[in-house]
Amino acid sequence: MNGQPQAVVVQDLVKRFGDFTAVDNISFEASRGEIFGFLGPNGAGKSTTIRILCGLLHPTSGKALVAGVDVAREPERVRQNIGYMSQKFSLYNDLKVIENLRFFAGMYGVNQGEAAERIAWAVDMAGLTGREHLLTGTLAAGWKQRLALGCAVLHRPPIVFLDEPTSGVDPISRRLFWELIHRMADEGVTVFVTTHYMDEAEYCNRLVLIDRGRIVASGSPLELKLKSMEGELLLVECDQVGKALEALQDAPGVTDAAIFGHALHLVVPDAERAIPEVRNYLGERGISVSRIERIRPTLEDVFVSLTSLKGRREKEQA
């Protein structure tokens, strides 16, 4: 995205609620036409940040510009230049599909000459042709999701904020939704999306990982997988996974250990050296290892490693 204007600029942003710091001195930028992923577990500060950027919360300190507008000074002007969709979809379930679309067109100030065309586009995009007069509350979650996206972009905003939009939606609907997101980005729309689904992060151009209000890593999905692991990754398949996990928490040379499916993923400084050591260590405790090998980390591995390492260091410093 080099050379593109910055759609979102965040500098030293802080948000406190009393003694609790929800967003702790974060900085990042998102470019025009970029799918920007903001990732982290529940309570990490994702939704607080996105509400600040949408002009819904006032920052404690720092600066945030959205479409060149200062969110603290002109929040109403910010809201005129963005679309916003939350995990609750922000729809009125007791209204018909067409009534929801007309309502949001009016709320966003879409002129009458353009409204009919935009509403027809949203109906088609959501796959609701012929269902315009159904009550919204009767729709399946995937249709509601696409309808909510259509409502959020009826006014053709240059920036769209999606706050965990795929929560509670089946995998097929999630895939279709991401196809729509890529279509919008191809047309120059900046899509700023928060999610705790690490597989969805692969669809983003660039990512910021946040934990406990602080940024722990940033870069493209590939960059994070190649550079952000503090060590090398081992896959361990054994007969007593739970017992093995407990044993490896204090094993020499094992930086981190976590269960992934029916196996364990271990972070170690040197995989080649660690393979025989881990096998012997577990064998001495009556745990039989059927497979152990070095593997390439997933984004979930990266995030688990970064957040758990961070937490361990904070405890050691306390």
Side-chain angles (χ1 to χ4, degrees), residues 116-310:
E117 175 193 344
R118 293 299 292 167
I119 288 173
W121 169 85
V123 168
D124 179 65
M125 180 268 291
L128 290 168
T129 302
R131 298 179 174 88
E132 294 90 338
H133 297 284
L134 291 178
L135 283 177
T136 299
T138 66
L139 299 177
W143 281 344
K144 279 187 181 180
Q145 178 197 51
R146 295 191 294 275
L147 174 60
L149 179 62
C151 289
V153 298
L154 281 169
H155 55 309
R156 299 181 189 271
I159 304 169
V160 179
F161 289 94
L162 307 176
D163 192 8
E164 299 195 18
T166 59
S167 180
V169 178
D170 67 84
I172 293 176
S173 295
R174 282 169 59 191
R175 177 66 63 89
L176 291 172
F177 186 77
W178 276 94
E179 289 178 2
L180 294 174
I181 289 175
H182 275 277
R183 213 175 300 161
M184 288 194 302
D186 288 342
E187 295 173 357
V189 176
T190 300
V191 182
F192 189 108
V193 58
T194 71
T195 182
H196 59 269
Y197 293 119
M198 292 298 156
D199 60 320
E200 291 189 344
E202 299 282 358
Y203 298 128
C204 298
N205 303 123
R206 198 154 50 90
L207 306 169
V208 162
L209 276 63
I210 185 172
D211 182 48
R212 302 172 219 182
R214 298 179 183 176
I215 292 175
V216 296
S218 62
S220 70
L222 181 59
E223 287 172 342
L224 290 181
K225 285 185 284 188
L226 293 178
K227 299 178 182 178
S228 293
M229 289 288 292
E230 297 195 11
E232 298 177 343
L233 190 67
L234 291 182
L235 169 73
V236 179
E237 293 181 353
C238 55
D239 59 354
Q240 302 175 68
V241 175
K243 182 179 177 181
L245 176 64
E246 185 177 353
L248 289 167
Q249 296 296 334
D250 299 315
V254 176
T255 307
D256 199 11
I259 292 177
F260 279 75
H262 300 292
L264 293 172
H265 285 191
L266 310 183
V267 180
V268 297
D270 184 337
E272 185 176 353
R273 179 177 178 179
I275 286 174
E277 293 178 348
V278 169
R279 187 185 293 275
N280 292 336
Y281 185 85
L282 292 177
E284 290 170 358
R285 286 153 182 80
I287 300 169
S288 177
V289 176
S290 58
R291 179 185 174 199
I292 181 168
E293 63 183 27
R294 183 184 178 187
I295 59 172
R296 173 175 284 192
T298 65
L299 282 172
E300 186 172 355
D301 289 314
V302 171
F303 189 76
V304 168
S305 176
L306 287 169
T307 56
S308 60
L309 284 169
K310 178 174 177 287

Side-chain angles (χ1 to χ4, degrees), residues 94-105:
D94 55 346
L95 293 182
K96 297 175 182 179
V97 169
I98 194 70
E99 291 171 337
N100 261 297
L101 288 164
R102 288 170 179 162
F103 173 78
F104 280 98

